[in-house]
Amino acid sequence: ERQSIQVLYGKQTTNGTNTISYLNNTTDKLLAVPENSAMYFHADVIALRVGGTGTGNLGDYASWVERGVVINKSGTLSIERERDTIKGSGNHTNWRPTANVSGTNFRITVRGDTDQTIEWASNITFTQIKTGVAL
């Protein structure tokens, strides 16, 4: 079985802690990776500062491409990933997205910076092969 899936993850951060981003910005909603499938993912990520009193200014931004493969081998997920910074402006040194897994779910965690309110959006395309074979 082959298919392409496109989703949007979102989150708002106000500190420098790694924070889970969710499907459609809805708490606790993540994409489950089907058993015995491999999925290539390509995430276009943008972050925009909209508030806060920390270093920098409103309108500071950064963008990345996060990509790799997540595989579910008989119920156990693993991931191989890489990230490229595309463009940015202003104070965004500590900001970053990271693709990872939790249980059988794919997720993107995002990290902003202290006293900066940052809006995050991750447009993710998955290319999936699901098999009837136990991997």
Side-chain angles (χ1 to χ4, degrees):
E1 179 179 317
R2 294 164 186 82
Q3 68 177 332
S4 178
I5 303 164
Q6 188 166 7
V7 298
L8 186 66
Y9 276 54
K11 188 67 178 176
Q12 183 183 83
T13 59
T14 57
N15 58 41
T17 303
N18 287 325
T19 305
I20 301 168
S21 181
Y22 294 110
L23 276 170
N24 298 321
N25 212 32
T26 304
T27 301
D28 296 331
K29 298 293 182 188
L30 299 169
L31 180 79
V33 177
E35 195 166 309
N36 301 317
S37 64
M39 299 172 79
Y40 168 77
F41 64 90
H42 182 105
D44 295 311
V45 183
I46 188 163
L48 175 66
R49 181 167 176 187
V50 296
T53 58
T55 305
N57 298 296
L58 300 180
D60 290 351
Y61 68 88
S63 60
W64 303 263
V65 169
E66 180 86 8
R67 61 185 170 262
V69 173
V70 59
I71 188 167
N72 185 333
K73 292 183 178 180
S74 299
T76 302
L77 258 61
S78 62
I79 190 169
E80 293 290 331
R81 50 155 296 277
E82 66 182 24
R83 175 181 50 239
D84 290 321
T85 302
I86 303 302
K87 295 291 179 183
S89 177
N91 181 27
H92 55 81
T93 305
N94 293 322
W95 306 0
R96 72 180 45 101
T98 305
N100 51 69
V101 295
S102 176
T104 58
N105 294 312
F106 173 89
R107 66 184 194 178
I108 294 269
T109 55
V110 293
R111 185 180 85 192
D113 210 343
T114 304
D115 296 325
Q116 295 178 355
T117 303
I118 303 164
E119 292 289 345
W120 294 83
S122 303
N123 183 34
I124 309 166
T125 301
F126 293 91
T127 303
Q128 173 185 306
I129 297 176
K130 183 177 184 327
T131 75
V133 176
L135 299 176

